[in-house]
Amino acid sequence: MEDTICAISTALGVGAISIVRVSGNESIEIVSKIYKGKNLNQVKSHTINYGYIYDGEELIDEVLVSIMKAPKTYTMEDIIEINCHGGISTTNKILELLLKKGCRLAEPGEFTKRAFLNGRIDLTQAEAVSDLLNATNDKQRTTALNGLNGRLTKIIKDLRSKLLSIMANIEVNIDYPEYEDALEITHENLLPMLNEVNDEFIKILEDAKNYKVIKNGIDVALVGRPNVGKSSLLNALTGEDRAIVTSISGTTRDIIEGSMNLNGINLNIIDTAGIRETDDTVEKIGVTKSKDMINKADLVILLLNNNEELTNEDKEIYNSVKDNKHIIFVNKTDLDKKLDVDNLSKTNVVYGNTVDNGGLSELKKKIVDLFNLGALESKDLTYLSNARQVDIFTKAKNSLENAIDNCKGETPIEMIDVDIKDTWDLLGELIGETYHDELLDELFSKFCLGK
């Protein structure tokens, strides 16, 4: 990290301004070679300075230059941000000049990587930066900000502190058995200590499921026989004419998707082809996709016609969805009732129609209840936010459970201490106390340039 890096930090294109960011020990020296205005070596830190960018005698642009001197910067290095007029030509020209004068083009995420390596943030905070950039709803944004502010770090460090206290007592018992002031660790008093920590592990992993919903949304598959109103329901829920609606059975031959927001959560609604026996080659492919979607979706909404008696095909489709999270939507309640669903379900049934959108509010409420979305409104949105974090935390929990099992089996305390130490080490890996260079390369490669 001895070299000075630069990159365009704003989206490249036509706009009011663009920002070119420079970080490193030679930032001020390099920018001074192309800037005319106040002496950047003499201005105060965290100031904005008016001037011009020149390529020799050629004026390139009128700019504002932000000076931020180490260590109170994002990377803990000297940082300069050149605020120029937006536009591809001007922005690229300034970047080109910086590269000619001694900067190196930053790798994706390298500014944040330097912030981590220089000790300004830990690994979970670095990942929260990426989450914040990719947030698509308020809950994702709030969760990412909580991670960036170190709330997840504090949770992990508190767990490590509790484990460290247990390990310290064990070590004292082993190395200084004559020391009477130390708590004597026995299987009887160690087990409740470990169980208390494990309860926190269980809660954190359970909460991680909530973040999966916040981040990825809920995939909702609309299934049923042809002409039961799946496409009409898709259009009604999304408020758009996403799917063609006709009275002809089998109009939908392939998967059609739309989305809506429910309690701040994205619903990815998938309209599937009507499921029935058919000799039509194209329709068969659509039916196969519909059946596959039943197993892939987080929620299946089975549509049935209120004005028709239950058919064998309806029963077969219900049997394929009943073990999944599902809702039965009895459609066309504006027509005479001929359907009886009591033999199928008496709980997750909603009656309505897509003519006057009857039952849609109840359907949304049912989804809120099934996924406990109401609880997310009041929850402290601090979660494990990606597969890496969940994987490492799960491994740490497994080591802790090994310690608990060994404690119950009265394995020697010093052997149990090995599993506790392994749990402590894994939590350290989670926040970046230990890491492999390959992990950092993979993690930061997913960032955009300039961040």
Side-chain angles (χ1 to χ4, degrees):
M1 296 196 301
E2 297 300 318
D3 51 357
T4 297
I5 58 174
C6 65
I8 299 168
S9 290
T10 48
L12 192 58
V14 177
I17 63 169
S18 291
I19 297 175
V20 183
R21 176 182 281 178
V22 184
S23 180
N25 295 332
E26 298 180 354
S27 296
I28 296 175
E29 178 185 341
I30 291 173
V31 173
S32 294
K33 294 176 182 178
I34 63 172
Y35 172 78
K36 289 186 179 181
K38 290 183 178 180
N39 187 331
L40 297 181
N41 285 295
Q42 296 177 359
V43 301
K44 291 182 179 180
S45 180
H46 293 77
T47 60
I48 298 177
N49 304 274
Y50 173 77
Y52 300 89
I53 298 295
Y54 275 86
D55 181 8
E57 297 302 317
E58 180 188 358
L59 175 64
I60 302 301
D61 196 18
E62 180 184 32
V63 298
L64 293 173
V65 173
S66 302
I67 300 288
M68 292 161 279
K69 297 180 181 179
K72 294 183 179 181
T73 70
Y74 184 64
T75 60
M76 297 187 74
E77 303 169 339
D78 287 344
I79 287 182
I80 294 183
E81 291 183 349
I82 302 173
N83 297 260
C84 61
H85 287 92
I88 295 173
S89 177
T90 300
T91 310
N92 278 334
K93 183 63 177 179
I94 294 174
L95 181 66
E96 176 189 327
L97 289 173
L98 291 169
L99 294 173
K100 283 182 179 179
K101 298 303 180 182
C103 282
R104 172 176 63 77
L105 184 64
E107 298 172 356
E110 189 169 0
F111 292 93
T112 303
K113 184 177 182 180
R114 290 188 175 204
F116 166 69
L117 293 174
N118 288 329
R120 184 182 179 276
I121 57 176
D122 70 17
L123 209 51
T124 61
Q125 289 173 298
E127 289 171 312
V129 172
S130 179
D131 291 339
L132 186 59
L133 294 176
N134 294 306
T136 58
N137 60 51
D138 283 345
K139 286 187 172 61
Q140 287 183 35
R141 178 181 56 79
T142 301
T143 303
L145 281 173
N146 285 345
L148 186 57
N149 291 335
R151 291 171 70 166
L152 177 59
T153 301
K154 184 179 184 306
I155 291 171
I156 301 304
K157 285 186 174 180
D158 285 348
L159 287 173
R160 293 190 90 211
S161 178
K162 290 176 182 179
L163 292 170
L164 187 61
S165 177
I166 294 171
M167 289 189 296
N169 270 301
I170 292 175
E171 294 296 330
V172 168
N173 286 181
I174 295 172
D175 296 337
Y176 306 100
E178 72 282 359
Y179 191 65
E180 297 180 355
D181 289 342
L183 173 67
E184 182 183 358
I185 299 295
T186 65
H187 293 98
E188 288 72 23
N189 60 25
L190 176 60
L191 185 59
M193 294 181 197
L194 297 178
N195 280 330
E196 181 182 344
V197 177
N198 193 45
D199 287 342
E200 294 185 52
F201 270 75
I202 292 170
K203 182 181 182 302
I204 291 169
L205 279 177
E206 191 64 31
D207 283 346
K209 296 176 183 177
N210 290 332
Y211 187 72
K212 183 181 178 183
V213 171
I214 291 172
K215 186 174 184 178
N216 300 329
I218 300 170
D219 290 336
V220 182
L222 309 180
V223 303
R225 289 188 293 111
N227 208 27
V228 292
K230 298 184 296 297
S231 298
S232 296
L233 183 58
L234 170 68
N235 292 342
L237 288 171
T238 61
E240 301 177 14
D241 291 332
R242 298 289 300 172
I244 298 172
V245 177
T246 74
S247 59
I248 302 171
S249 296
T251 300
T252 302
R253 298 292 188 95
D254 202 352
I255 287 171
I256 300 172
E257 298 186 34
S259 63
M260 64 170 290
N261 189 284
L262 183 63
N263 280 37
I265 302 299
N266 294 327
L267 296 190
N268 311 310
I269 306 170
I270 304 132
D271 177 20
T272 65
I275 299 175
R276 66 175 176 181
E277 293 296 326
T278 178
D279 294 326
D280 186 296
T281 303
V282 176
E283 191 176 357
K284 273 184 177 180
I285 296 172
V287 171
T288 300
K289 286 186 176 181
S290 299
K291 291 178 178 178
D292 289 341
M293 191 54 64
I294 289 173
N295 295 320
K296 293 178 180 178
D298 301 307
L299 172 66
V300 178
I301 299 179
L302 169 60
L303 280 83
L304 301 173
N305 275 342
N306 179 63
N307 64 323
E308 296 178 1
E309 293 183 359
L310 201 66
T311 68
N312 288 330
E313 283 181 330
D314 290 328
K315 294 175 183 177
E316 288 178 9
I317 298 170
Y318 174 75
N319 286 332
S320 67
V321 308
K322 66 181 182 180
D323 293 330
N324 300 37
K325 194 168 284 190
H326 70 277
I327 297 172
I328 297 175
F329 185 76
V330 178
N331 193 23
K332 305 182 183 179
T333 54
D334 52 316
L335 303 177
D336 292 340
K337 180 178 180 179
K338 295 182 181 178
L339 183 71
D340 181 4
V341 295
D342 286 348
N343 291 331
L344 299 183
S345 175
K346 294 183 180 180
T347 52
N348 291 340
V349 181
V350 176
Y351 292 85
N353 67 82
T354 53
V355 175
D356 60 9
N357 291 340
L360 258 62
S361 295
E362 186 182 347
L363 177 61
K364 293 173 185 177
K365 183 179 183 303
K366 185 73 72 173
I367 296 172
V368 168
D369 292 342
L370 277 176
F371 288 89
N372 202 25
L373 300 186
L376 294 182
E377 294 292 333
S378 58
K379 268 187 175 290
D380 172 18
L381 301 179
T382 305
Y383 302 120
L384 302 173
S385 64
N386 57 51
R388 183 196 76 87
Q389 293 177 7
V390 172
D391 179 59
I392 293 176
F393 197 84
T394 301
K395 289 177 180 176
K397 182 176 181 295
N398 290 340
S399 292
L400 182 61
E401 288 178 342
N402 284 339
I404 291 172
D405 290 341
N406 288 332
C407 191
K408 291 176 180 177
E410 298 194 351
T411 300
I413 298 291
E414 57 268 27
M415 302 274 301
I416 299 172
D417 190 42
V418 173
D419 286 322
I420 300 174
K421 176 68 164 53
D422 189 42
T423 305
W424 187 81
D425 285 339
L426 284 164
L427 291 179
E429 184 180 335
L430 179 62
I431 58 177
E433 292 286 338
T434 58
Y435 59 86
H436 303 290
D437 289 339
E438 294 81 2
L439 167 66
L440 295 189
D441 292 341
E442 170 66 19
L443 192 155
F444 290 106
S445 68
K446 298 174 183 176
F447 280 60
C448 58
L449 282 171
K451 190 57 184 175

